[in-house]
Amino acid sequence: MSTAYLSVKETSEMLGYSEQYVRKLLRSGEINGEMIGNRWVVASESASEYRCKEHNPDQVIPDHARRASSKPTLKALSFFSGCMGLDLGY
């Protein structure tokens, strides 16, 4: 039985995660893969199993708690602070 292999990019598109997060899953061992040279290859069965395991539409991802107890007051917004510095005159 031959195993199909996927790149990190293909795996990220399949799972709907960023490539960086897929690499984190590979390093932690949640997805099986091998480092060949300086690139990861992922067994397609492992990615499929992870997708089936993680696919739970009722799962709610909690937001992180606010670190400071007080809410800061808004002083100013700068929408044009690019390299031309358009907000300097306001």
Side-chain angles (χ1 to χ4, degrees), residues 27-85:
R27 285 190 300 271
S28 68
E30 294 183 55
I31 295 178
N32 293 330
E34 277 188 55
M35 186 76 129
I36 298 178
N38 62 350
R39 297 183 188 261
W40 283 99
V41 290
V42 183
S44 61
E45 293 104 15
S46 177
S48 296
E49 287 173 13
Y50 186 82
R51 181 175 63 176
C52 292
K53 180 180 81 171
E54 289 295 312
H55 184 67
N56 184 357
D58 298 328
Q59 181 181 8
V60 176
I61 299 172
D63 197 6
H64 62 84
R66 186 173 194 84
R67 292 183 185 161
S69 60
S70 63
K71 191 173 181 182
T73 58
L74 184 63
K75 303 259 185 212
L77 292 175
S78 176
F79 294 105
F80 302 102
S81 60
C83 63
M84 298 305 287

